[in-house]
Amino acid sequence: MIVTSEEVREALDARRPVVALESTIIAHGLPRPDNLQVALELEETVREEGAVPATIAVLDGRPHVGLDKGGLERIANEDGIRKLGHRDLPLAVAAGASGATTVSATALLAARAGVRVFATGGLGGVHREWTVTQDESADLGLLARTRITVVCAGVKSILDVPATLQRLETLGVAVAGYGTDRFPGFYLSDSGHPVDWTLDSPEQVAEVMRAQDALHVPDASLVVANPVPEEEQLDPALHARVLAEALRACESEGVTGQAVTPFLLAYLVRHTGGASLAANLAAVRGNVRLAGRIAAAWTGA
């Protein structure tokens, strides 16, 4: 049922490096026409590191691992592209729908196709006031049962970061800082919280991946938390002020459930003059480049 592009299939068969890329950032995270330009740029970044990009999406009810330019253009420009988590995949397939994949759906489809390395911006996690809302991203549960290495800039700073780290520990998801002993905060290089393990090279990451397999530990992801460079992060004082304002606005306007995250992210973009979006893109670009290097170390390329 999963359509793997010829380029991706040949690379996997030959054990050449492949990097999975999500498509939600293309369809829902960036304005047109910048979204298509960024999608093409991220694929080119993977190629520069000697790996094959596998952007993942669902088109007309068929999950695709690896898109051609026409597929990227559809995801970037077509109206009505849905946002699909892993729970939505059977519904989208049965309905013949088209959608962009979130972290959970991308990780699932990548792993099913045999892709071991996945680059994204920031993970979902435990939402603030979880004790009241019981709102937790589906990313966490999926990563707890999927063997894939996820290169990210931590979790979105609008979330409850310490609760998310605790939840990842409870679920058995390994987390390591890349070149840092601090957990990054998506827009920020440092969320204010430590990590227990630090990895300093793509080769070290690949060794952990091999150890996962050799030990036959339960299937779970390896999260490689790669901080956005300090010179490209969102100003921490501006971030703190605008996020506090966004949370108050969210409460006063009665925004709840799935609407909370897009509301807060959009508020940050508007009230930081686009600086949060620039930091987001800087993080994604860095993660994609690192993922290409990890994939190459993993395959011995």
Side-chain angles (χ1 to χ4, degrees):
M1 183 173 290
I2 297 174
V3 180
T4 304
S5 73
E6 183 178 356
E7 182 185 25
V8 171
R9 185 173 61 253
E10 288 179 352
L12 291 172
D13 289 345
R15 195 167 166 73
R16 297 199 307 272
V18 178
V19 174
L21 302 172
E22 65 164 292
S23 50
T24 295
I25 188 173
I26 305 170
H28 303 289
L30 296 169
R32 299 172 183 170
D34 296 344
N35 56 348
L36 178 58
Q37 294 170 359
V38 170
L40 294 170
E41 176 196 339
L42 296 179
E43 289 208 342
E44 181 57 31
T45 298
V46 172
R47 295 186 193 282
E48 288 172 359
E49 297 303 326
V52 172
T55 302
I56 295 177
V58 177
L59 297 175
D60 304 319
R62 304 200 66 187
H64 287 253
V65 176
L67 296 178
D68 59 17
K69 188 175 181 183
L72 288 174
E73 289 174 346
R74 284 191 62 185
I75 291 295
N77 298 322
E78 198 170 287
D79 293 331
I81 295 292
R82 300 184 66 120
K83 184 177 181 180
L84 304 177
H86 71 281
R87 70 167 189 170
D88 303 306
L89 292 174
L91 296 161
V93 168
S98 296
T101 51
T102 65
V103 166
S104 68
T106 304
L108 176 63
L109 292 173
R112 291 285 188 272
V115 179
R116 189 64 182 268
V117 181
F118 166 33
T120 186
L123 299 181
V126 177
H127 286 244
R128 295 166 188 253
E129 299 186 358
W130 181 88
T131 55
V132 176
T133 65
Q134 300 287 291
D135 193 355
E136 175 186 312
S137 171
D139 293 355
L140 304 186
L142 190 284
L143 294 179
R145 54 184 185 272
T146 304
R147 181 58 55 79
I148 196 164
T149 295
V150 184
V151 183
C152 64
V155 300
K156 297 178 177 68
S157 55
I158 60 176
L159 302 172
D160 187 329
V161 177
T164 300
L165 286 170
Q166 181 60 57
R167 186 72 176 128
L168 287 167
E169 179 182 345
T170 300
L171 290 170
V173 177
V175 178
Y178 189 79
T180 180
D181 61 0
R182 310 295 295 175
F183 190 68
F186 192 44
Y187 301 122
L188 305 176
S189 301
D190 183 355
S191 69
H193 302 279
V195 290
D196 293 327
W197 296 95
T198 300
L199 300 171
D200 293 312
S201 70
E203 291 73 23
Q204 283 188 333
V205 178
E207 282 301 310
V208 175
M209 295 163 64
R210 294 186 185 102
Q212 284 181 311
D213 294 347
L215 291 168
H216 301 290
V217 295
D219 281 347
S221 299
L222 168 63
V223 173
V224 179
N226 182 40
V228 63
E230 287 189 12
E231 64 273 15
E232 295 185 282
Q233 71 174 340
L234 182 60
D235 177 74
L238 176 63
H239 173 270
R241 177 177 62 79
V242 175
L243 179 56
E245 293 171 357
L247 291 168
R248 288 194 295 270
C250 190
E251 183 176 0
S252 66
E253 296 183 28
V255 180
T256 59
Q258 290 185 335
V260 171
T261 294
F263 176 89
L264 293 176
L265 294 177
Y267 191 101
L268 281 166
V269 171
R270 291 196 308 272
H271 294 269
T272 62
S276 66
L277 180 58
N280 181 358
L281 287 174
V284 172
R285 290 182 178 110
N287 295 340
V288 168
R289 190 168 296 282
L290 176 58
R293 294 171 181 172
I294 291 170
W298 166 246
T299 60

